[in-house]
Amino acid sequence: MPVAAPETSEIVLSARNVAKVFGSIQALKGVNFDVRRGQVTALFGENGAGKSTLMKILSGVYKPTSGTIILDGEPIEFDSSTDARNHGISIIHQELSLAPNMTVRDNIFMGREIRTMKGVDFAEEERQCRLLLAELEENIDPRTKVEDLRLGQQQIVEIARALSVNSRILIMDEPTSALSASEVEVLFKVIRDLKSRGVSIVYISHHLEEALQITDHAVVLRDGNMTAYAPRGDIDLEWIVRHMVGEHFNLGSPPTGYPFGNVVLQVEEVTVVDATGNQKLVDELSLDVRAGEIVCIYGLMGAGRTELLECLAGRLAARHGKVALNDRDITRASIAERIAEGLVLVPEDRQRDGLVQTMTIGQNLSLANLRRLVRGLFTSRRLEREHIDNAIRRTTVKAGSPDHLIGSLSGGNQQKVVIGKMWSTNPKAILLDEPSRGIDIGAKAEVFRLLAEGAREGLAVLYTTSEVGECLSVAHRIIVMHKGKISAEFGSDVTKARIMAASGEAVVH
């Protein structure tokens, strides 16, 4: 039975017995949910629990299959997200919904352009845009194209767009998934200011400890049901995890019981520069990863982690230095040649770089392996289906059918599809850039379990993270980057404080 949140006079928006069905999948099963004036309600749950579906119903993106939405004490039906926004409800989606070929200014005011008798007042839009970005302490030129921004800056633009509407109910679905620690602190200051003005906030995050800093109430969804509700004073990290996954969870430990093999991936004094050629993003960096070894790279935003992995995968050119795979020099090899040699990358932005949104789950899983599935002039449907079924079974993708579009999956399952696609090429070394971004604790544990299994089979694993706790999960060795260089190297027995200190991050005692 769904748990009903206690009634209070401060409720401004409610879902009552809301259910949502997509074909054969019941995403929500009679959920009751309340939003209170001037307070933050944190919504927790594993990927696929129904969090984003519920928020899309509250913000007018979806219509409920059954149940009622109540706004200011009156039942209401939203015709669209624009209708919901006109009633004061805005949402920051988990996956960015920006137009990359448009400027920051045009994205923020898209569909709400400031018009005069002479047309769009671009100067006023730019002025307001600068004020919004200044409030978020982000120095971005409003005339910059979104595609030229790093992922964290794009997330800031998404937040600025939602703030520009002056909503009274603001839904934040994973707003900090790509933000640095300092950017998160700025966002939290903005949230506190919004609360003081009476704005109600629904906050969804897989960063559990982070969410506890800002929330007033917590609600947990599990398999489409509301399983728990409590005010902030009654909850802690263990309470959240217990109601999310049914047991106290951890992210695993470094796999043991086997010797490391030879060096698989060798990086020698690699330097990567920015588009101007003036700034070193990676500065004469050297490292080795052995067969069966899992190496984690930790660093703050701007440390050079992503640029290093994209250089190793062939997306960025090295100004100088050498990259070798099993003693074979691949420094000048193309991306396709590196994949053929056994080096693959799971990118940070799965939506833009890891998946084809117009394809099905199965098509995405088989995309990197099509040549092996061709018989004669055509792809063998039987071989492709076997390949897809094996990939889904190995990566434990939770999908109603491999014939559904990839967008029907939760973020965590989409990430497992990206990993499964790369895994199917039989790599010798796998690079993963922030593999747990935007996925819940259960999905994180499954991702790290996959990495541990691969290491036991002789795979060399190199992954990055900006969450210090994830360094201490399955990694045998932890490398800390700061301003393009390696600032420290540790074994798996290091403390969080030492890792953070080496990265240049302030440690709170």
Side-chain angles (χ1 to χ4, degrees):
M1 292 290 293
V3 180
E7 299 289 340
T8 79
S9 59
E10 297 181 336
I11 293 172
V12 292
L13 179 68
S14 297
R16 285 290 171 263
N17 298 314
V18 166
K20 182 63 178 178
V21 177
F22 297 97
S24 61
I25 299 174
Q26 188 165 4
L28 295 175
K29 306 170 184 176
V31 169
N32 295 313
F33 182 80
D34 296 324
V35 180
R36 293 163 175 76
R37 179 176 288 108
Q39 297 189 356
V40 177
T41 301
L43 181 57
F44 298 109
E46 293 189 272
N47 283 102
K51 305 184 304 298
S52 293
T53 300
L54 177 60
M55 293 305 101
K56 287 177 179 178
I57 289 174
L58 294 180
S59 60
V61 178
Y62 293 156
K63 290 183 180 294
T65 304
S66 63
T68 307
I69 304 301
I70 301 172
L71 180 65
D72 296 325
E74 297 293 332
I76 191 170
E77 292 185 11
F78 298 125
D79 295 328
S80 64
S81 57
T82 302
D83 185 21
R85 190 174 66 197
N86 291 338
H87 282 85
I89 304 169
S90 292
I91 184 170
I92 301 169
H93 292 284
Q94 176 182 1
E95 304 297 349
L96 300 180
S97 57
L98 303 172
N101 62 328
M102 295 173 65
T103 65
V104 171
R105 176 199 65 205
D106 292 342
N107 268 278
I108 287 178
F109 289 96
M110 189 189 305
R112 312 181 292 105
E113 290 80 5
I114 299 175
R115 296 185 179 275
T116 66
M117 295 293 291
K118 297 180 180 180
V120 178
D121 190 343
F122 293 113
E124 177 60 19
E125 287 186 357
E126 187 172 322
R127 185 189 71 81
Q128 292 189 26
C129 185
R130 290 186 186 279
L131 289 174
L132 283 167
L133 294 170
E135 185 179 1
L136 293 167
E137 298 183 18
E138 192 70 34
N139 184 25
I140 301 174
D141 189 329
R143 295 164 295 184
T144 304
K145 284 189 176 181
V146 164
E147 63 189 0
D148 295 330
L149 301 176
R150 62 174 173 81
L151 188 59
Q153 290 175 314
Q154 292 181 23
Q155 190 92 57
I156 292 290
V157 173
E158 186 88 51
I159 293 167
R161 183 167 66 179
L163 295 178
S164 71
V165 184
N166 293 321
S167 299
R168 60 197 185 103
I169 299 171
L170 182 57
I171 298 168
M172 297 183 168
D173 193 352
E174 291 289 343
T176 65
S177 61
L179 301 187
S180 66
S182 59
E183 289 168 335
V184 170
E185 283 303 312
V186 173
L187 178 61
F188 282 5
K189 284 196 293 185
V190 171
I191 289 174
R192 293 184 184 103
D193 179 57
L194 291 172
K195 283 176 56 180
S196 71
R197 290 187 254 158
V199 177
S200 305
I201 294 170
V202 181
Y203 191 92
I204 301 175
S205 180
H206 294 311
H207 300 280
L208 307 184
E209 294 178 50
E210 172 190 285
L212 286 175
Q213 297 177 40
I214 201 71
T215 192
D216 297 299
H217 306 270
V219 174
V220 180
L221 284 184
R222 186 176 181 187
D223 296 328
N225 291 301
M226 179 178 168
T227 59
Y229 162 83
R232 173 64 185 90
D234 295 341
I235 65 175
D236 56 19
L237 193 61
E238 185 177 351
W239 181 92
I240 298 169
V241 174
R242 184 173 70 252
H243 285 97
M244 275 178 58
V245 297
E247 58 182 306
H248 190 72
F249 225 83
N250 64 64
L251 295 177
S253 57
T256 58
Y258 61 91
F260 296 151
N262 296 328
V263 172
V264 174
L265 180 64
Q266 187 174 25
V267 183
E268 295 181 2
E269 298 185 345
V270 162
T271 296
V272 180
V273 297
D274 64 5
T276 67
N278 298 322
Q279 181 181 356
K280 291 182 178 180
L281 305 175
V282 179
D283 191 358
E284 296 187 358
L285 186 143
S286 300
L287 64 86
D288 294 335
V289 186
R290 306 174 75 88
E293 185 181 24
I294 303 176
V295 177
C296 172
I297 297 179
Y298 176 79
L300 306 179
M301 291 290 180
R305 297 170 297 131
T306 294
E307 291 80 7
L308 172 63
L309 262 59
E310 291 191 347
C311 174
L312 300 183
R315 292 190 65 181
L316 294 178
R319 169 164 283 188
H320 60 75
K322 178 184 176 182
V323 180
L325 191 71
N326 285 330
D327 294 326
R328 182 181 176 86
D329 190 345
I330 59 170
T331 310
R332 301 286 176 256
S334 67
I335 295 175
E337 289 169 340
R338 294 180 198 222
I339 292 174
E341 289 290 334
L343 179 63
V344 297
L345 168 67
V346 175
E348 178 183 26
D349 190 340
R350 59 177 170 266
Q351 291 286 317
R352 185 182 67 182
D353 301 326
L355 299 167
V356 180
Q357 298 299 319
T358 55
M359 287 185 170
T360 65
I361 299 163
Q363 288 169 334
N364 270 281
L365 280 166
S366 63
L367 191 59
N369 226 28
L370 285 179
R371 286 189 178 181
R372 299 180 186 180
L373 305 176
V374 171
R375 292 296 182 269
L377 297 176
F378 303 99
T379 302
S380 167
R381 292 299 181 95
R382 180 184 61 80
L383 290 177
E384 184 178 24
R385 179 60 67 173
E386 288 177 1
H387 172 83
I388 291 168
D389 290 344
N390 287 336
I392 287 176
R393 186 163 49 252
R394 172 156 195 174
T395 56
T396 63
V397 173
K398 297 175 184 176
S401 166
D403 298 324
H404 291 168
L405 285 175
I406 190 69
S408 66
L409 294 182
S410 64
N413 282 298
Q414 288 185 22
Q415 184 72 324
K416 287 190 277 187
V417 168
V418 180
I419 293 172
K421 179 176 70 173
M422 294 296 96
W423 216 292
S424 69
T425 64
N426 296 319
K428 299 177 178 66
I430 186 168
L431 314 171
L432 304 100
D433 194 3
E434 293 276 11
S436 65
R437 186 181 75 83
I439 64 177
D440 65 73
I441 189 169
K444 286 180 184 181
E446 290 180 2
V447 167
F448 287 129
R449 176 187 59 77
L450 286 171
L451 300 187
E453 284 182 5
R456 288 191 184 95
E457 295 169 4
L459 186 67
V461 179
L462 179 64
Y463 74 94
T464 74
T465 183
S466 54
E467 290 191 48
V468 67
E470 292 179 8
C471 298
L472 305 173
S473 53
V474 295
H476 297 106
R477 186 157 49 100
I478 300 160
I479 291 173
V480 183
M481 285 186 68
H482 180 63
K483 295 182 178 180
K485 290 179 174 288
I486 292 178
S487 59
E489 186 172 325
F490 303 108
S492 59
D493 57 348
V494 66
T495 63
K496 290 183 180 181
R498 290 185 66 194
I499 295 172
M500 293 168 68
S503 72
E505 187 173 356
V507 180
V508 179
H509 296 284

